[in-house]
Amino acid sequence: RDSNVISQNVSNQQEIVESSFDIGEKGEESNDNPHNSDFDGHLPAGQHLLVDIKNVDSEFLNSEHRLATAMVELITESQLTLLSYHCHSLVPIGVSCAGVLLESHVAFHTWPSEGVIVMDLFTCGSGKLIPILPLIKQLFGVGAEGEDLEEPVLNWSHKLRGFREGFVPDYDPTRNPLDSDTGRFVTGRVQDDIKLPVLSASTDFQTVDVYELMDPTTRNVNNFYKSLEDDGSYESLHPEHFGPNRVLLLDGVIQSTLFGDAPYHESIVHPAMITHPNPKRVAIIGGGEGATLREILKH
């Protein structure tokens, strides 16, 4: 059965699933195969994508065949190379699967009664793993039928593994957003209840990334969902107090956040502007996100 699944799904390689989120090394040249970049090459380095999904259909999570099919499709669509795999049904319930890749491995374990699947995908080279998150949710975030059941929820983190400095001549981690603030404070965190890419773009001068994040230590995700309802509750009448934070990064370095924007930029602009009797000309040094200019123009 495993051989049939492989032959049916691996025979036609397809292009990697596109996403609004497309993070890679700055200045990376395009390549028909996104896993053949020379940036990491044969270095002792790779990328690790960790994914946890809850509220998943229990029958799907207990089906060795459906899970194996989903895993092979994930590998095929991601343009990875499957060498072999094995899925094993557990007693009394649950499934464990592991796939050996030319690039490394993919593995997951399920808890059908709890509706949970936990997965990790590790690859060598600099092929982009984060853009396949929508495909992972599509293939493995199978919701159960029923009006009152919660939608599947996906939490994830992405980490650079191994060693680059000392193995790549003139390697500069500041030119790799995943090796700076983006990796340390955004993509590398697994505890956020919400972690959504809003924008990822590059100009001739810099890379720009914007994320929506909800840290459970500062915001309650259930209150946020309640604020989206039209039930007359305090949360729904004041949704501005319960939404996720937004983080702006330039070249992988955090510049400002939605919750910290006002106190930071107001405090560095208004005391000087108010103290000056008649300001006409202002020099802004390093105001890449434009917030300092915004506050100055209020005068």
Side-chain angles (χ1 to χ4, degrees), residues 104-214:
S104 191
H105 75 269
V106 58
F108 56 82
H109 183 84
T110 72
W111 289 263
S113 298
E114 291 79 10
V116 171
I117 179 171
V118 173
M119 171 187 298
D120 79 283
L121 173 61
F122 179 80
T123 65
C124 301
S126 59
K128 303 168 186 176
L129 294 184
I130 295 176
I132 71 173
L133 282 166
L135 179 62
I136 292 177
K137 187 170 184 179
Q138 173 189 331
L139 293 174
F140 293 92
V142 178
E145 296 182 358
E147 295 182 359
D148 298 329
L149 297 177
E150 296 183 69
E151 292 290 324
V153 174
L154 182 148
N155 291 341
W156 61 275
S157 69
H158 175 280
K159 299 180 180 296
L160 294 181
R161 302 289 303 277
F163 303 94
R164 291 167 179 80
E165 292 191 69
F167 292 89
V168 179
D170 301 321
Y171 176 75
D172 183 0
T174 64
R175 293 185 60 82
N176 183 354
L178 295 174
D179 211 2
S180 54
D181 286 1
T182 303
R184 287 191 291 271
F185 302 117
V186 181
T187 59
R189 292 165 52 93
V190 72
Q191 66 268 35
D192 292 318
D193 288 325
I194 295 176
K195 180 162 49 183
L196 296 175
V198 177
L199 171 70
S200 182
S202 297
T203 71
D204 293 336
F205 308 100
Q206 60 194 0
T207 61
V208 182
D209 294 292
V210 180
Y211 295 83
E212 282 194 345
L213 303 174
M214 180 161 286

Side-chain angles (χ1 to χ4, degrees), residues 31-41 79 102-103 124-127:
N31 193 305
D32 291 338
N33 186 337
H35 298 274
N36 285 340
S37 171
D38 292 333
F39 191 86
D40 280 353
Q79 293 187 357
L102 179 64
E103 298 82 2
C124 301
S126 59

Side-chain angles (χ1 to χ4, degrees), residues 2-270:
D2 292 351
S3 298
N4 291 335
V5 172
I6 293 176
S7 63
Q8 292 171 6
N9 289 276
V10 180
S11 58
N12 296 320
Q13 292 288 333
Q14 301 180 17
E15 294 183 357
I16 192 169
V17 172
E18 293 183 355
S19 168
S20 60
F21 192 23
D22 190 27
I23 279 191
E25 276 71 14
K26 184 178 179 181
E28 180 182 272
E29 295 182 358
S30 62
N31 193 305
D32 291 338
N33 186 337
H35 298 274
N36 285 340
S37 171
D38 292 333
F39 191 86
D40 280 353
H42 300 287
L43 297 174
Q47 301 177 68
H48 210 162
L49 185 64
L50 308 175
V51 179
D52 305 335
I53 312 177
K54 64 179 180 179
N55 304 332
V56 182
D57 179 63
S58 60
E59 292 186 4
F60 170 73
L61 294 179
N62 203 41
S63 172
E64 180 182 331
H65 177 72
R66 293 175 65 185
L67 288 165
T69 301
M71 179 176 68
V72 172
E73 185 173 349
L74 172 66
I75 295 168
T76 303
E77 294 288 339
S78 304
Q79 293 187 357
L80 296 167
T81 308
L82 180 63
L83 301 178
S84 65
Y85 78 88
H86 177 71
C87 288
H88 185 80
S89 296
L90 306 175
V91 177
I93 194 171
V95 177
S96 281
C97 288
V100 179
L101 310 177
L102 179 64
E103 298 82 2
S104 191
H105 75 269
V106 58
F108 56 82
H109 183 84
T110 72
W111 289 263
S113 298
E114 291 79 10
V116 171
I117 179 171
V118 173
M119 171 187 298
D120 79 283
L121 173 61
F122 179 80
T123 65
C124 301
S126 59
K128 303 168 186 176
L129 294 184
I130 295 176
I132 71 173
L133 282 166
L135 179 62
I136 292 177
K137 187 170 184 179
Q138 173 189 331
L139 293 174
F140 293 92
V142 178
E145 296 182 358
E147 295 182 359
D148 298 329
L149 297 177
E150 296 183 69
E151 292 290 324
V153 174
L154 182 148
N155 291 341
W156 61 275
S157 69
H158 175 280
K159 299 180 180 296
L160 294 181
R161 302 289 303 277
F163 303 94
R164 291 167 179 80
E165 292 191 69
F167 292 89
V168 179
D170 301 321
Y171 176 75
D172 183 0
T174 64
R175 293 185 60 82
N176 183 354
L178 295 174
D179 211 2
S180 54
D181 286 1
T182 303
R184 287 191 291 271
F185 302 117
V186 181
T187 59
R189 292 165 52 93
V190 72
Q191 66 268 35
D192 292 318
D193 288 325
I194 295 176
K195 180 162 49 183
L196 296 175
V198 177
L199 171 70
S200 182
S202 297
T203 71
D204 293 336
F205 308 100
Q206 60 194 0
T207 61
V208 182
D209 294 292
V210 180
Y211 295 83
E212 282 194 345
L213 303 174
M214 180 161 286
D215 184 343
T217 63
T218 60
R219 286 290 189 277
N220 186 298
V221 69
N222 294 322
N223 289 341
F224 168 62
Y225 291 139
K226 192 172 182 61
S227 72
L228 302 179
E229 300 175 1
D230 186 18
D231 59 0
S233 63
Y234 179 82
E235 291 84 356
S236 66
L237 295 176
H238 302 278
E240 66 277 8
H241 299 317
F242 302 98
N245 196 8
R246 278 201 173 190
V247 180
L248 168 68
L249 303 102
L250 300 180
D251 289 336
V253 179
I254 294 177
Q255 302 297 314
S256 62
T257 68
L258 177 63
F259 298 155
D261 172 42
Y264 177 77
H265 289 97
E266 288 180 1
S267 64
I268 65 174
V269 170
H270 296 307

